[in-house]
Amino acid sequence: MDAKRKRRVKKGCPNPLFVKWLQEWKDEAVENGWKSSYTYNKALNSIKRYPLPLNSGQEAKVLENIGDKVAKMLDKKISEYITSGGSLENLHQEPSNTLSSSKVA
């Protein structure tokens, strides 16, 4: 019997800017020897595994390993992104050198 199986087609990540920002924060934490690098890494993995687009840090709080602080940091980056000329419609597109990294508080 030839049973047909459905194959999942993996598209790109639906939240590329969130991934970019979390990666920047994680890299900075590693460079400075901060223990928060583990937190950012866990949050980064959660975002990468999530298959749906997110529009805010508050929406991301439903994910494992994303708490109030990371959610607020994401919301702040989104507002900076929009202020610098980005739009919510472009939030889910691959970044093309959008909004350079800013230092973590």
Side-chain angles (χ1 to χ4, degrees):
M1 285 187 232
D2 286 323
K4 291 189 177 187
R5 294 184 178 184
K6 290 184 179 180
R7 292 188 182 198
R8 292 185 191 177
V9 177
K10 271 204 164 187
K11 297 179 182 176
C13 177
N15 302 296
L17 286 175
F18 285 19
V19 169
K20 177 183 179 241
W21 296 331
L22 282 164
Q23 186 66 51
E24 289 172 357
W25 296 332
K26 178 188 150 205
D27 292 344
E28 181 182 2
V30 168
E31 284 176 21
N32 293 313
W34 298 336
K35 292 181 182 178
S36 60
S37 64
Y38 299 110
T39 302
Y40 296 132
N41 190 46
K42 290 191 293 185
L44 180 62
N45 289 331
S46 292
I47 291 282
K48 284 181 178 179
R49 285 193 310 262
Y50 192 66
L52 302 174
L54 298 165
N55 293 313
S56 71
Q58 292 302 309
E59 284 184 18
K61 281 178 59 175
V62 300
L63 301 178
E64 189 175 3
N65 301 312
I66 298 190
D68 289 333
K69 183 173 180 180
V70 172
K72 287 177 185 174
M73 290 170 69
L74 287 169
D75 283 337
K76 183 178 177 190
K77 285 294 266 188
I78 291 169
S79 65
E80 289 174 7
Y81 173 73
I82 291 171
T83 302
S84 71
S87 68
L88 280 178
E89 292 81 32
N90 296 334
L91 191 60
H92 306 294
Q93 295 176 356
E94 285 292 324
S96 56
N97 293 332
T98 57
L99 193 62
S100 63
S101 67
S102 63
K103 296 293 176 188
V104 179

